[in-house]
Each structure stands twice: as C-alpha cells, then as structure tokens.
Amino acid sequence: MKYHSKIKEGGWDDSHRQWPLPSLPWVMQQTWNDLLFAHYPIKMDKLRSLVPEALTIDSFDGVGWIGIVPFQITKSRMKAVPPIPGISAFPELNVRTYVSVDGKPGVYFISMDTTNLLAVSGARTLYHLPYVVADMNVSYKEDFVNYDSKRLDDSGALLNCSYRPISDPYYPQKGSFDEWMAERYCLYTVNGSEEVKRCDILHEPWQLQIAEADFNLNTMLSHQSIFVENNAPILHFSKRKKVRIWPLVNPYKE
C-alpha cells in the first residue's frame, strides 16, 4: 500500500512513495541532469562480495545488476541557503546496485566520483558514502552528452563515453526492469560500526527514455575488481530530476 502524506506544496508530492518520509525536515536540494543508466548483469555471489552482509541484495528475475550512472548536478544547496556559485554545480559518476532493508527498496553505492571536494569530504563524513575525487569534463555536441572522467587515485578508473536518448519519454510499466531499477526512494549506507542507515529522497516518478551510448573507454568496473556477465549494458536516459534529500535515519527505529 502506498503512503499518502500532506507534502503537496510548492510542486512537491510524495503520494507515490512506498513509505512515509522521516518526520525530520529535508536538508539538501539538487537537480540531476542528463542521466545515463547503464546496467550490467552480475552473478549474485560476486555482488554479495561488494555489498555489506547487513543489506539484502535485490535481484530482477534472479539476476543481480550493477549500474554505471553519469550525470550532472546543478542547483545544489542546503535548506534555507541559496546555491553558492562555484560549488553548486558539478558532475558525478556513480556505480550502484540495489538492496532492501525491512522490505524498503533502495540503492547501495559502490563508488561515487566527483570533482567537488566539499561533496567528497562532507558526504563521506556525514553520510558514509564512498566518494572519491576525479578529473571530469562534460560537453555537448548536437544531441549527444560527452562524458569524460578519470579517478585521481591509484585505481585510475575512468569513463569516456557519449550518449543520447533515442525514444520518446515514458513512465516505466509496473513490474518492469525499468521500474525496478528506477523507482527507489532511498539509499542505504553502513558506517564503520556496521550500523545500517537510510537516507530518504523525494522526487517525481522517473520519466525515462531508451538510450544509446558509445563507450570509448570504461574501466569503472574492472578497475574496482567488478566482473560482470555481459559487457552490453541495458541503457536508459533521463533528462532532469529535482530532488530533496533527508538526513540519515536508523531504518529499524522509526
């Protein structure tokens, strides 16, 4: 059963979420732009080695999935604070998979690359997220997004690709893979004491497009010792998503 709340002011509506938002106020707002979702199948035992035991790994039709998601963040700001020039817009590149806690589906991030040093230090400390610094550049040519990222650590994991949407926008059908991977309204983290925390998010339901992509170089998985079953990913695109982010909560003490 979906939860219907009263957060329906200023264009925000959480009636499509599967469970209530925390009673705490939201702390951050961002806009996510030009997202590519590139999903690769992976054996569940290999996926288990990447995900803390405290989290239940989700599968679709018995198959585990790893997603590489490049995008750009704009208008990033804390609550009651306007966007600050120079740090409110930056690229981000996520490697993620899908987990649940207490029946609530969410996202687990294996790695998060960005150029924003403040995001790296703040999110690693406050949200226990695996941010690392990368040298990144995003450009546009015709209807293609050109994305170039190289991690500034010993792994040197990199992504150089171009992508674009090739279908009209659509909302995922209920029960489809598209809905399964996209319609998740939280992320999970595990801190140094092995405590599970959940970060709730709010945005409109995902509107996706089928995408095509040319991967000139892609070592985001192999340089992290992640080996998938098929190197031909399922590709989706989403143009823009306005998001609000809540503080971490203990999913077992609500």
Side-chain angles (χ1 to χ4, degrees), residues 9 14 22 36 39 65 76 81 107 117-118 128 130 135 154 156 197 201 209 212-213 225 234 238:
E9 52 190 51
D14 72 340
L36 175 70
H39 281 97
W65 292 87
S76 181
V81 178
V107 174
L117 293 174
L118 183 61
H128 316 294
D135 183 12
D154 292 339
K197 300 290 185 179
I201 62 174
Q209 294 171 264
E212 67 176 3
S225 299
I234 298 175
S238 187

mmCIF file of all heavy atoms in Angstrom, residues 9 14 22 36 39 65 76 81 107 117-118 128 130 135 154 156 197 201 209 212-213 225 234 238:
data_model
loop_
_atom_site.group_PDB
_atom_site.id
_atom_site.type_symbol
_atom_site.label_atom_id
_atom_site.label_comp_id
_atom_site.label_asym_id
_atom_site.label_seq_id
_atom_site.Cartn_x
_atom_site.Cartn_y
_atom_site.Cartn_z
ATOM 1 N N GLU A 9 2.982 20.840 -1.382
ATOM 2 C CA GLU A 9 3.070 22.277 -1.552
ATOM 3 C C GLU A 9 4.322 22.612 -2.337
ATOM 4 O O GLU A 9 5.329 21.916 -2.269
ATOM 5 C CB GLU A 9 3.089 22.971 -0.188
ATOM 6 C CG GLU A 9 4.141 22.427 0.764
ATOM 7 C CD GLU A 9 3.975 22.952 2.179
ATOM 8 O OE1 GLU A 9 2.865 22.861 2.709
ATOM 9 O OE2 GLU A 9 4.967 23.463 2.725
ATOM 10 N N ASP A 14 4.576 13.550 -2.315
ATOM 11 C CA ASP A 14 5.207 12.266 -2.006
ATOM 12 C C ASP A 14 4.203 11.123 -1.983
ATOM 13 O O ASP A 14 4.477 10.055 -1.442
ATOM 14 C CB ASP A 14 5.976 12.340 -0.686
ATOM 15 C CG ASP A 14 5.051 12.393 0.528
ATOM 16 O OD1 ASP A 14 3.876 12.749 0.362
ATOM 17 O OD2 ASP A 14 5.515 12.078 1.640
ATOM 18 N N PRO A 22 10.709 10.600 6.682
ATOM 19 C CA PRO A 22 11.003 10.836 8.100
ATOM 20 C C PRO A 22 10.319 12.103 8.598
ATOM 21 O O PRO A 22 10.016 13.016 7.818
ATOM 22 C CB PRO A 22 12.532 10.986 8.124
ATOM 23 C CG PRO A 22 13.009 10.304 6.877
ATOM 24 C CD PRO A 22 11.929 10.507 5.867
ATOM 25 N N LEU A 36 22.573 9.018 -17.575
ATOM 26 C CA LEU A 36 22.625 7.746 -18.289
ATOM 27 C C LEU A 36 22.598 6.625 -17.260
ATOM 28 O O LEU A 36 23.369 6.639 -16.296
ATOM 29 C CB LEU A 36 23.901 7.631 -19.121
ATOM 30 C CG LEU A 36 24.105 6.279 -19.813
ATOM 31 C CD1 LEU A 36 23.092 6.074 -20.939
ATOM 32 C CD2 LEU A 36 25.536 6.138 -20.342
ATOM 33 N N HIS A 39 23.227 -0.533 -17.245
ATOM 34 C CA HIS A 39 23.108 -1.658 -16.308
ATOM 35 C C HIS A 39 23.681 -2.953 -16.879
ATOM 36 O O HIS A 39 23.387 -3.310 -18.020
ATOM 37 C CB HIS A 39 21.647 -1.876 -15.926
ATOM 38 C CG HIS A 39 21.167 -0.908 -14.898
ATOM 39 N ND1 HIS A 39 20.469 0.233 -15.213
ATOM 40 C CD2 HIS A 39 21.308 -0.905 -13.534
ATOM 41 C CE1 HIS A 39 20.192 0.904 -14.100
ATOM 42 N NE2 HIS A 39 20.685 0.222 -13.070
ATOM 43 N N TRP A 65 22.301 -6.874 -10.589
ATOM 44 C CA TRP A 65 22.616 -5.823 -11.563
ATOM 45 C C TRP A 65 23.517 -4.761 -10.955
ATOM 46 O O TRP A 65 23.339 -4.365 -9.801
ATOM 47 C CB TRP A 65 21.341 -5.172 -12.085
ATOM 48 C CG TRP A 65 20.544 -6.119 -12.930
ATOM 49 C CD1 TRP A 65 19.608 -7.024 -12.495
ATOM 50 C CD2 TRP A 65 20.641 -6.300 -14.343
ATOM 51 N NE1 TRP A 65 19.117 -7.743 -13.554
ATOM 52 C CE2 TRP A 65 19.725 -7.318 -14.707
ATOM 53 C CE3 TRP A 65 21.400 -5.693 -15.344
ATOM 54 C CZ2 TRP A 65 19.566 -7.747 -16.017
ATOM 55 C CZ3 TRP A 65 21.233 -6.107 -16.656
ATOM 56 C CH2 TRP A 65 20.333 -7.123 -16.985
ATOM 57 N N SER A 76 22.600 22.718 -6.400
ATOM 58 C CA SER A 76 22.765 22.010 -5.135
ATOM 59 C C SER A 76 22.863 23.027 -3.994
ATOM 60 O O SER A 76 23.667 23.959 -4.052
ATOM 61 C CB SER A 76 24.019 21.137 -5.176
ATOM 62 O OG SER A 76 24.186 20.419 -3.975
ATOM 63 N N VAL A 81 19.350 27.920 2.292
ATOM 64 C CA VAL A 81 20.561 28.565 1.784
ATOM 65 C C VAL A 81 20.518 28.536 0.265
ATOM 66 O O VAL A 81 20.310 27.467 -0.323
ATOM 67 C CB VAL A 81 21.834 27.849 2.287
ATOM 68 C CG1 VAL A 81 23.083 28.507 1.712
ATOM 69 C CG2 VAL A 81 21.874 27.839 3.803
ATOM 70 N N VAL A 107 18.953 2.022 -2.968
ATOM 71 C CA VAL A 107 20.188 1.962 -3.758
ATOM 72 C C VAL A 107 21.371 1.844 -2.807
ATOM 73 O O VAL A 107 21.384 2.462 -1.733
ATOM 74 C CB VAL A 107 20.338 3.227 -4.632
ATOM 75 C CG1 VAL A 107 21.678 3.250 -5.352
ATOM 76 C CG2 VAL A 107 19.196 3.310 -5.638
ATOM 77 N N LEU A 117 35.246 18.773 -4.088
ATOM 78 C CA LEU A 117 35.959 18.357 -2.880
ATOM 79 C C LEU A 117 35.091 18.472 -1.637
ATOM 80 O O LEU A 117 35.209 17.664 -0.702
ATOM 81 C CB LEU A 117 37.228 19.201 -2.710
ATOM 82 C CG LEU A 117 38.323 19.002 -3.772
ATOM 83 C CD1 LEU A 117 39.449 19.999 -3.553
ATOM 84 C CD2 LEU A 117 38.854 17.582 -3.732
ATOM 85 N N LEU A 118 34.203 19.465 -1.614
ATOM 86 C CA LEU A 118 33.314 19.620 -0.467
ATOM 87 C C LEU A 118 32.357 18.438 -0.370
ATOM 88 O O LEU A 118 32.101 17.916 0.721
ATOM 89 C CB LEU A 118 32.536 20.929 -0.578
ATOM 90 C CG LEU A 118 31.597 21.268 0.591
ATOM 91 C CD1 LEU A 118 32.395 21.402 1.885
ATOM 92 C CD2 LEU A 118 30.830 22.562 0.299
ATOM 93 N N HIS A 128 28.555 8.636 5.129
ATOM 94 C CA HIS A 128 29.316 7.393 4.976
ATOM 95 C C HIS A 128 29.273 6.891 3.524
ATOM 96 O O HIS A 128 29.224 5.685 3.274
ATOM 97 C CB HIS A 128 28.790 6.302 5.921
ATOM 98 C CG HIS A 128 28.519 6.794 7.301
ATOM 99 N ND1 HIS A 128 29.518 7.237 8.144
ATOM 100 C CD2 HIS A 128 27.351 6.936 7.995
ATOM 101 C CE1 HIS A 128 28.991 7.626 9.297
ATOM 102 N NE2 HIS A 128 27.686 7.458 9.222
ATOM 103 N N PRO A 130 30.825 6.481 -0.397
ATOM 104 C CA PRO A 130 32.168 6.204 -0.938
ATOM 105 C C PRO A 130 32.595 7.173 -2.039
ATOM 106 O O PRO A 130 32.921 6.778 -3.159
ATOM 107 C CB PRO A 130 32.023 4.780 -1.473
ATOM 108 C CG PRO A 130 30.605 4.710 -1.943
ATOM 109 C CD PRO A 130 29.820 5.521 -0.933
ATOM 110 N N ASP A 135 38.986 13.733 -12.088
ATOM 111 C CA ASP A 135 39.081 14.794 -13.085
ATOM 112 C C ASP A 135 37.987 14.519 -14.115
ATOM 113 O O ASP A 135 38.011 13.477 -14.780
ATOM 114 C CB ASP A 135 40.466 14.770 -13.738
ATOM 115 C CG ASP A 135 40.658 15.887 -14.743
ATOM 116 O OD1 ASP A 135 39.814 16.813 -14.787
ATOM 117 O OD2 ASP A 135 41.646 15.844 -15.503
ATOM 118 N N ASP A 154 44.852 5.561 -6.986
ATOM 119 C CA ASP A 154 45.706 4.526 -7.562
ATOM 120 C C ASP A 154 44.986 3.666 -8.596
ATOM 121 O O ASP A 154 45.617 3.088 -9.476
ATOM 122 C CB ASP A 154 46.264 3.629 -6.445
ATOM 123 C CG ASP A 154 47.243 4.358 -5.542
ATOM 124 O OD1 ASP A 154 47.781 5.390 -5.986
ATOM 125 O OD2 ASP A 154 47.463 3.902 -4.408
ATOM 126 N N GLY A 156 42.825 4.667 -10.887
ATOM 127 C CA GLY A 156 42.738 5.337 -12.180
ATOM 128 C C GLY A 156 41.505 4.967 -12.975
ATOM 129 O O GLY A 156 41.473 5.091 -14.194
ATOM 130 N N LYS A 197 22.166 2.612 7.892
ATOM 131 C CA LYS A 197 21.438 3.879 7.890
ATOM 132 C C LYS A 197 20.731 4.044 6.544
ATOM 133 O O LYS A 197 21.202 3.555 5.520
ATOM 134 C CB LYS A 197 22.382 5.060 8.120
ATOM 135 C CG LYS A 197 23.135 5.020 9.441
ATOM 136 C CD LYS A 197 22.219 5.255 10.623
ATOM 137 C CE LYS A 197 23.009 5.326 11.927
ATOM 138 N NZ LYS A 197 22.126 5.572 13.094
ATOM 139 N N ILE A 201 14.836 10.120 -0.053
ATOM 140 C CA ILE A 201 14.821 11.184 -1.043
ATOM 141 C C ILE A 201 13.402 11.332 -1.583
ATOM 142 O O ILE A 201 12.585 10.414 -1.497
ATOM 143 C CB ILE A 201 15.808 10.928 -2.202
ATOM 144 C CG1 ILE A 201 15.435 9.650 -2.962
ATOM 145 C CG2 ILE A 201 17.241 10.870 -1.688
ATOM 146 C CD1 ILE A 201 16.288 9.429 -4.200
ATOM 147 N N GLN A 209 13.889 7.458 -21.002
ATOM 148 C CA GLN A 209 13.956 7.258 -22.446
ATOM 149 C C GLN A 209 14.950 6.141 -22.736
ATOM 150 O O GLN A 209 15.936 5.978 -22.003
ATOM 151 C CB GLN A 209 14.409 8.540 -23.157
ATOM 152 C CG GLN A 209 13.426 9.691 -23.049
ATOM 153 C CD GLN A 209 13.989 10.993 -23.575
ATOM 154 O OE1 GLN A 209 14.497 11.809 -22.810
ATOM 155 N NE2 GLN A 209 13.902 11.199 -24.879
ATOM 156 N N GLU A 212 21.166 5.295 -26.352
ATOM 157 C CA GLU A 212 22.301 4.637 -26.997
ATOM 158 C C GLU A 212 23.570 5.296 -26.482
ATOM 159 O O GLU A 212 23.561 6.466 -26.081
ATOM 160 C CB GLU A 212 22.224 4.740 -28.520
ATOM 161 C CG GLU A 212 22.382 6.140 -29.081
ATOM 162 C CD GLU A 212 22.397 6.146 -30.609
ATOM 163 O OE1 GLU A 212 22.224 5.069 -31.211
ATOM 164 O OE2 GLU A 212 22.572 7.243 -31.187
ATOM 165 N N ALA A 213 24.662 4.538 -26.453
ATOM 166 C CA ALA A 213 25.913 5.051 -25.916
ATOM 167 C C ALA A 213 27.098 4.426 -26.637
ATOM 168 O O ALA A 213 27.052 3.259 -27.039
ATOM 169 C CB ALA A 213 26.010 4.772 -24.417
ATOM 170 N N SER A 225 37.709 -4.280 -9.589
ATOM 171 C CA SER A 225 37.608 -5.739 -9.476
ATOM 172 C C SER A 225 36.161 -6.208 -9.490
ATOM 173 O O SER A 225 35.783 -7.134 -8.758
ATOM 174 C CB SER A 225 38.323 -6.233 -8.202
ATOM 175 O OG SER A 225 39.696 -5.905 -8.249
ATOM 176 N N ILE A 234 22.161 -2.578 -20.611
ATOM 177 C CA ILE A 234 20.841 -2.012 -20.861
ATOM 178 C C ILE A 234 20.944 -0.518 -20.596
ATOM 179 O O ILE A 234 21.430 -0.102 -19.545
ATOM 180 C CB ILE A 234 19.785 -2.662 -19.959
ATOM 181 C CG1 ILE A 234 19.670 -4.158 -20.255
ATOM 182 C CG2 ILE A 234 18.428 -1.980 -20.131
ATOM 183 C CD1 ILE A 234 18.732 -4.882 -19.309
ATOM 184 N N SER A 238 17.561 9.883 -18.642
ATOM 185 C CA SER A 238 16.551 10.760 -18.056
ATOM 186 C C SER A 238 17.084 12.181 -18.089
ATOM 187 O O SER A 238 18.245 12.433 -17.722
ATOM 188 C CB SER A 238 16.219 10.349 -16.619
ATOM 189 O OG SER A 238 15.128 11.111 -16.128
#
